[in-house]
Amino acid sequence: MAGPDELGRPGVPFPLPMSCDNLVQIDNLQFDYGGKPVLQGINMRIPRGKVVAIMGGSGCGKTTLLRCIGGQLRPSAGQVRVDGAVVNEMSQAQIYALRRRMGMLFQFGALFTDLSVFDNVAFPLREHTDLPEDLVRDLVLMKLQAVGLRGARDLMPNSLSGGMARRVALARAVALDPALIMYDEPFTGLDPISLGVIGQLIRRLNDALGATSIMVTHDIQESLLIVDYIYFISGGRVVAEGTPEEIRHSTDPFVHQFVQAEADGPVPFHMPAPPFAQELMGGARG
Amino acid sequence: MSRTTLDLWVGFFVALGIAALLFLALKVGSFTGVHMDQTYQLQAKFDNIGGLKARGPVKSAGVVVGRVSDIRFDPETYEAVVSLSIDARYTFPKDTFASIYTSGLLGDQYVGLEPGGDERKLAAGDTIFKTQSAVVLEKLVSQFLFNKAAEGQDPK
Amino acid sequence: MADLLEPLCRLGSQVVERIWRLGYASRFFVAVLLNSGAALRRYPLTLREIWFSGVLSLIIILVSGLFVGLVLGMQGYEILQRYGSAEQLGTMVALSLLRELGPVVAALLFASRAGSAITAEIGLMKATEQLKAMDMMAVDPVARVVVPRFWGGVISMPLLAAMFSSMGIFGGWLIGVVVIGVDDGSFWSQMQSAVDFRYDVWNGILKSLVFGVAVSLIAVFEGYDSAPTAEGVSRAITRTVVTSALAILALDFVLTSFMFRGTS
């Protein structure tokens, strides 16, 4: 159906007027899960061509936010605009059309276990284009070359290490040269070398493809090296934001705690509970 | 697994399945129900049909020529009205005799047709008037006993 | 009072839960059917699933069919020769296989061999976010993953049941004719005169087709609906086997009462 032009040319990913220079714009986003508020009024701007990190502790709603941008979850209130169009008002067909211009790297790669490395990367090409098989082959090898795994094309995903699987998944995510690449915890469970490799790849691919990247992570040190801008989320709200330089020198107690990895601070060590002594006494009485 | 091996296996599988279906259709089952799609209807009235059932065979000279398509009770004459689907290839004279027989001693019951000598043939929708009811075993036995008893008493 | 109401509430919520799930399964079935056209045009995917659920079940189906036939031959002969009608052995073996044992046992084996594998596969794809990844690549997982597996199962089931019955009749023949010495000619001719194609063979095929739809649907639904954890997948597999077995036997009762009523 789609010809080669829909693959998205680097540099001119969108034929839209360049008046809106924010590819993704989030206004007052709220999301409830089973009556419990997860996101409560998020505002964010993701400029074109930048790599933006969304950081926060585990379970603070980072991944939910990513799902809302990708249209997999519908927010309870607020708006998510991608390239000027409101995602949460789209039909399923429109969302699918939008997603063809998005790539997403899942936490553990989410490679298709029944397909080889080559077929995994070829999957989006074969599903969305009618390209001849030899052209698909060339494109797949190019993507695999970019992540340094051309030699692994015939392996099955279960024989790959965690870092390699992540790189193959990255090659698959950029197979259609997307305008927006989203990363869900790209650094989880990687050794320091693989972690550095993935970090460099995220930056390099973003610049080479002229894409925009959103990265959800809690790995502050690696992120400070590669991203252009950082949002901190806690309790469903944006609590701090800034460039890596600003973040490093921030005096904000939350950012300080996060960057220095301190156990207690604005993010409390204890779950909210009645006073300890009182509960112990109560237990004795019961 | 390469595509061609997979295709080969699936082809083999489907061929085997179809072979099994053909085996069941041709060797195990008979197409009696299917190749008699050209049939005509006759009716026959019996005083007693015994254990005759719908779909039971209709035979003439031992050859299956049709099926019992329907059995009804006529509330006016108190008779059983049996509809017969007869293979369109066969016709029978007007004075054909229809009886209900049992295959073997305890087997299924079937309708036997014995052709008479009439020139005119039975047409679709006709009724066979000359019929003989099923032999009911209990009646036979009691008749036999009654006769025996009568024989025993006579010489006295 | 509250103690009395408590079990009642639990019963109520259980019933509501079941009905909700049934409704969800029906909607899922409709979605599978709606997506079938486009997905079946890409037949290599379905071909792969026929290989998966059909070809890989071949051995267990053929071997079980043979053994069921051997047992039927022995038991049938033992019973029939009491009435001096051992030549009816072919009829008995063929009718019990074609009408009941073939479709039902083949479907039960299919549910535990292929159905559980389908559930496990889809469940694991869900647990490892493969389905979500596919969805994010603008590929509908129902059309790409579920539909080929569903149709692969639906196509395989009647073929497997036919093979099972054929193999069983062969087993009955082996015992009856080759081992015991029932007359070969009367074995086949009695069978042929008693077995009607439309009534016995066709109804049996129809049964296995219905079972194929039921088992395949249960398998793909349980996989798609499983909780995305290792424990959730294993529970989904158990549910597939149990629900399939119950569905097969219940449907068999309903179908039998419609198909083989009144006449002999």
Side-chain angles (χ1 to χ4, degrees):
Chain A
M1 196 198 322
D5 3 359
E6 210 171 300
L7 293 177
R9 291 270 166 267
V12 277
F14 292 103
L16 283 174
M18 295 301 285
S19 60
C20 52
D21 46 20
N22 291 328
L23 182 62
V24 180
Q25 185 172 338
I26 298 170
D27 293 305
N28 189 31
L29 182 72
Q30 297 183 20
F31 185 84
D32 296 345
Y33 184 77
K36 223 181 87 191
V38 180
L39 302 175
Q40 354 186 5
I42 300 260
N43 293 296
M44 253 181 214
R45 304 280 177 275
I46 316 278
R48 282 177 200 279
K50 302 292 185 195
V51 178
V52 174
I54 299 171
M55 313 203 76
S58 307
C60 72
K62 306 188 298 276
T63 303
T64 307
L65 182 58
L66 218 52
R67 295 263 147 86
C68 287
I69 298 172
Q72 284 188 313
L73 294 175
R74 302 231 166 194
S76 328
Q79 275 187 338
V80 178
R81 286 170 185 275
V82 174
D83 201 22
V86 182
V87 176
N88 46 304
E89 288 169 3
M90 287 181 175
S91 69
Q92 190 64 23
Q94 286 171 315
I95 286 179
Y96 268 11
L98 177 70
R99 283 185 194 161
R100 291 184 185 201
R101 304 186 314 195
M102 290 180 176
M104 181 150 173
L105 180 70
F106 280 80
Q107 196 165 0
F108 293 101
L111 291 175
F112 301 132
T113 36
D114 54 339
L115 299 178
S116 69
V117 165
F118 182 93
D119 290 332
N120 259 288
V121 181
F123 183 87
L125 295 168
R126 287 182 178 149
E127 290 290 330
H128 291 314
T129 68
D130 280 332
L131 297 177
E133 195 53 29
D134 50 342
L135 193 52
V136 169
R137 184 175 168 277
D138 292 349
L139 283 170
V140 171
L141 291 184
M142 274 164 57
K143 303 295 174 192
L144 282 173
Q145 174 73 14
V147 298
L149 287 176
R150 196 161 43 85
R153 66 184 139 178
D154 294 326
L155 296 179
M156 293 306 278
N158 52 20
S159 55
L160 298 176
S161 72
M164 279 157 79
R166 214 70 58 87
R167 277 148 76 186
V168 173
L170 188 49
R172 186 180 67 179
V174 299
L176 288 172
D177 292 349
L180 175 65
I181 313 173
M182 291 186 280
Y183 300 91
D184 186 7
E185 305 279 9
F187 304 123
T188 311
L190 292 183
D191 63 78
I193 299 175
S194 307
L195 200 147
V197 169
I198 294 284
Q200 290 309 310
L201 275 175
I202 290 172
R203 183 76 238 185
R204 273 204 350 241
L205 282 171
N206 186 71
D207 297 345
L209 295 171
T212 306
S213 299
I214 305 175
M215 187 167 79
V216 155
T217 177
H218 45 237
D219 192 304
I220 180 81
Q221 300 308 335
E222 187 61 34
S223 309
L224 285 173
L225 295 176
I226 59 168
V227 303
D228 298 310
Y229 204 79
I230 299 175
Y231 283 96
F232 280 93
I233 293 183
S234 180
R237 286 200 176 80
V238 175
V239 292
E241 57 184 282
T243 61
E245 203 54 29
E246 291 165 4
I247 294 296
R248 275 201 198 94
H249 301 111
S250 171
T251 51
D252 184 278
F254 176 83
V255 175
H256 184 77
Q257 184 194 3
F258 211 94
V259 174
Q260 302 303 322
E262 285 166 355
D264 211 349
V267 178
F269 172 70
H270 290 291
M271 277 278 280
F276 194 41
Q278 181 193 327
E279 193 149 36
L280 286 179
M281 299 306 287
R285 223 184 304 132
Chain B
M1 160 121 348
S2 78
R3 273 290 306 281
T4 38
T5 343
L6 192 144
D7 288 356
L8 197 70
W9 269 105
V10 172
F12 170 72
F13 171 74
V14 173
L16 202 67
I18 290 173
L21 285 176
L22 283 179
F23 168 75
L24 295 181
L26 300 175
K27 182 80 180 159
V28 175
S30 51
F31 268 102
T32 45
V34 173
H35 77 102
M36 276 205 320
D37 39 21
Q38 294 276 315
T39 59
Y40 63 97
Q41 296 286 319
L42 293 179
Q43 291 199 328
K45 291 185 175 175
F46 294 94
D47 292 333
N48 191 330
I49 58 164
L52 188 71
K53 298 216 172 71
R55 283 185 22 81
V58 178
K59 296 184 185 181
S60 186
V63 178
V64 177
V65 295
R67 294 265 167 207
V68 174
S69 54
D70 185 36
I71 298 173
R72 278 181 300 114
F73 179 68
D74 185 340
E76 283 167 16
T77 60
Y78 306 111
E79 283 178 321
V81 181
V82 176
S83 302
L84 310 173
S85 293
I86 307 293
D87 194 325
R89 288 176 297 173
Y90 310 120
T91 52
F92 292 91
K94 280 271 185 205
D95 58 347
T96 294
F97 207 90
S99 326
I100 295 176
Y101 293 113
T102 307
S103 50
L105 188 59
L106 297 168
D108 276 346
Q109 285 182 309
Y110 66 91
V111 177
L113 297 180
E114 282 143 60
D118 203 318
E119 296 277 297
R120 293 166 300 157
K121 301 284 187 185
L122 285 166
D126 281 359
T127 303
I128 299 172
F129 291 104
K130 299 169 75 174
T131 62
Q132 186 192 331
S133 292
V135 177
V136 179
L137 206 60
E138 292 89 331
K139 267 190 188 169
L140 207 66
V141 171
S142 63
Q143 207 170 9
F144 175 75
L145 290 176
F146 183 75
N147 288 348
K148 275 285 175 202
E151 274 171 31
Q153 280 167 357
D154 272 347
K156 264 187 193 172
Chain C
M1 192 62 193
D3 289 351
L4 279 174
L5 285 177
E6 160 97 27
L8 213 60
C9 282
R10 229 179 307 141
L11 180 72
S13 83
Q14 285 260 331
V15 170
V16 169
E17 172 80 8
R18 290 284 144 80
I19 292 174
W20 184 86
R21 236 179 108 74
L22 198 66
Y24 183 48
S26 318
R27 270 177 49 198
F28 182 75
F29 187 37
V30 172
V32 168
L33 293 183
L34 286 180
N35 279 299
S36 288
L40 283 182
R41 243 171 278 138
R42 298 176 58 192
Y43 65 94
L45 293 176
T46 310
L47 226 55
R48 205 192 88 91
E49 299 311 325
I50 295 178
W51 180 78
F52 222 80
S53 50
V55 178
L56 294 185
S57 309
L58 208 52
I59 297 292
I60 185 173
I61 288 286
L62 292 181
V63 172
S64 315
L66 181 66
F67 278 111
V68 168
L70 294 174
V71 170
L72 270 181
M74 281 190 272
Q75 294 279 20
Y77 178 78
E78 204 275 328
I79 294 166
L80 288 171
Q81 56 100 25
R82 293 184 198 173
Y83 304 100
S85 43
E87 72 278 5
Q88 289 287 348
L89 184 63
T91 311
M92 187 191 139
V93 170
L95 283 183
S96 32
L97 277 166
L98 289 171
R99 289 180 173 194
E100 284 302 324
L101 290 175
V104 171
V105 178
L108 289 173
L109 291 171
F110 182 77
S112 41
R113 170 66 185 79
S116 59
I118 289 172
T119 305
E121 216 189 354
I122 298 179
L124 279 174
M125 288 184 86
K126 188 176 182 189
T128 53
E129 295 194 307
Q130 293 180 45
L131 296 183
K132 265 191 196 132
M134 204 174 269
D135 193 39
M136 270 309 292
M137 284 186 246
V139 176
D140 185 2
V142 171
R144 182 64 171 68
V145 173
V146 170
V147 168
R149 280 165 178 77
F150 174 76
W151 284 106
V154 171
I155 294 169
S156 299
M157 186 68 254
L159 298 176
L160 288 170
M163 289 179 213
F164 186 94
S165 296
S166 306
M167 209 58 196
I169 291 167
F170 172 70
W173 176 83
L174 267 185
I175 286 290
V177 174
V178 178
V179 177
I180 298 176
V182 174
D183 181 57
D184 190 30
S186 58
F187 181 90
W188 290 111
S189 66
Q190 295 278 359
M191 188 194 297
Q192 280 177 3
S193 66
V195 176
D196 182 67
F197 176 78
R198 194 185 295 170
Y199 195 62
D200 299 311
V201 181
W202 183 242
N203 277 344
I205 295 170
L206 225 57
K207 266 189 181 181
S208 62
L209 201 66
V210 174
F211 297 160
V213 171
V215 173
S216 306
L217 181 68
I218 290 168
V220 290
F221 175 72
E222 290 294 356
Y224 196 79
D225 188 48
S226 66
T229 58
E231 195 208 0
V233 174
S234 88
R235 251 187 298 150
I237 295 170
T238 312
R239 269 208 305 271
T240 293
V241 176
V242 173
T243 318
S244 297
L246 289 177
I248 290 164
L249 296 172
L251 280 172
D252 185 47
F253 170 71
V254 174
L255 288 174
T256 304
S257 62
F258 275 108
M259 286 171 172
F260 304 104
R261 193 165 43 184
T263 57
S264 65

